[in-house]
């Protein structure tokens, strides 16, 4: 018998997972509805595998996974999600997530995923792995572009890529418009460019939106 802890705040999803695992040798030892409850439930219930919903109140599945790995907890983790953004997918893979199951395919994919994790393997759909690799390469390229910028300059450059005007950037970052202009001048100088249009194009070419 393999013990499973489920962290998901949607009761209907949990009921669906219970139905999928009924009459199998996977036993649900507990469920929690909040990412903040995961660590305590792991300590008290000692499951063999953790199923994490990506989106939960107060602490997301990615944040919970990040905290577990930072603590050195290597329990096999399967992320369960309706959809996952590229940056979250890249981080999950980097953190060593063991499985990713889309909710729409849980009826067919959950059991093969859990069986693979139980044997010490990794189960991530091929299209998701391809997405993670592509997004990771884009992030690395963007990192090269931004390597010479400090944190505030990177934030401003990112907002320029989104098409925000100076006054909107000032409001977003809680500074005055004149300070934004000073930062932009520094960014142009560091990157060897001459305009916000060129900056936006360079950022978008590197996958920053």
């Amino acid at each position: 018998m393999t013990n499973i802890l489920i962290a998901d705040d949607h009761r209907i999803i949990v009921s669906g997972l219970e139905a999928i695992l009924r009459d199998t040798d996977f036993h649900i030892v507990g469920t929690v509805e909040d990412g903040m409850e995961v660590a305590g439930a792991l300590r008290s219930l000692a499951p063999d595998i953790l199923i994490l919903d990506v989106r939960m109140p107060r602490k997301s599945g990615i944040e919970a996974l990040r905290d577990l790995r930072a603590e050195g907890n290597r329990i096999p983790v399967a992320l369960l999600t309706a959809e996952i953004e590229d940056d979250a997918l890249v981080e999950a893979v980097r953190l060593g997530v063991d499985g990713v199951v889309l909710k729409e395919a849980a009826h067919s994919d959950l059991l093969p995923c859990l069986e693979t994790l139980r044997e010490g393997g990794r189960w991530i759909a091929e299209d998701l792995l391809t997405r993670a690799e592509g997004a990771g390469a884009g992030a690395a390229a963007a990192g090269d572009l931004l390597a010479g910028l400090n944190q505030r300059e990177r934030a401003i450059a990112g907002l320029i890529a989104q098409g925000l005007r100076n006054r909107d950037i000032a409001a977003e970052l809680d500074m005055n418009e004149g300070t934004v202009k000073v930062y932009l001048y520094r960014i142009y100088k560091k990157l060897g460019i001459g305009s916000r249009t060129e900056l936006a194009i360079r950022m978008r070419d590197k996958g920053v939106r």
Side-chain angles (χ1 to χ4, degrees):
M1 187 69 69
T2 301
N3 292 328
I4 307 292
L5 172 66
I6 298 173
D8 195 304
D9 62 314
H10 296 96
R11 186 62 230 175
I12 191 168
I13 297 297
V14 174
S15 296
L17 298 181
E18 290 171 342
I20 292 170
L21 299 181
R22 190 174 297 127
D23 300 324
T24 72
D25 59 350
F26 291 99
H27 173 61
I28 299 172
V29 293
T31 64
V32 297
E33 298 182 353
D34 190 317
M36 295 288 288
E37 302 173 19
V38 168
L42 288 175
R43 287 192 295 270
S44 61
L45 299 173
D48 301 301
I49 296 174
L50 170 63
I51 297 176
L52 270 180
D53 185 14
V54 169
R55 295 181 179 177
M56 289 184 290
R58 295 200 297 168
K59 180 184 286 188
S60 71
I62 298 296
E63 291 171 323
L65 175 63
R66 188 187 305 147
D67 290 346
L68 289 175
R69 296 312 191 223
E71 294 166 1
N73 190 324
R74 303 303 304 176
I75 183 174
V77 173
L79 288 180
L80 184 67
T81 182
E83 58 182 3
I84 186 167
E85 296 177 354
D86 285 349
D87 57 348
L89 180 59
V90 168
E91 181 172 11
V93 172
R94 180 180 60 79
L95 291 169
V97 73
D98 304 277
V100 182
V101 175
L102 295 175
K103 289 183 178 180
E104 65 183 20
H107 63 285
S108 60
D109 290 352
L110 182 63
L111 278 174
C113 175
L114 295 179
E115 288 165 357
T116 300
L117 267 57
R118 177 169 57 187
E119 299 300 319
R122 194 181 206 192
W123 197 100
I124 301 176
E126 178 103 19
D127 58 333
L128 290 177
L129 272 179
T130 301
R131 269 182 58 198
E133 290 166 359
D144 292 341
L145 174 67
L146 302 177
L149 305 183
N150 62 36
Q151 184 174 359
R152 182 51 61 93
E153 290 166 346
R154 294 182 187 196
I156 290 172
L159 294 173
I160 290 290
Q162 295 176 33
L164 271 67
R165 295 170 296 181
N166 287 356
R167 68 182 181 186
D168 299 321
I169 293 172
E172 180 76 18
L173 299 179
D174 194 23
M175 60 173 63
N176 63 56
E177 195 169 342
T179 303
V180 173
K181 292 178 180 178
V182 171
Y183 272 109
L184 280 175
Y185 174 77
R186 293 176 183 169
I187 292 169
Y188 298 160
K189 200 166 179 61
K190 287 183 177 181
L191 298 182
I193 58 179
S195 70
R196 69 191 300 116
T197 300
E198 188 177 355
L199 174 60
I201 292 171
R202 290 273 295 276
M203 295 287 284
R204 290 168 184 165
D205 285 348
K206 294 299 186 181
V208 179
R209 296 288 190 274

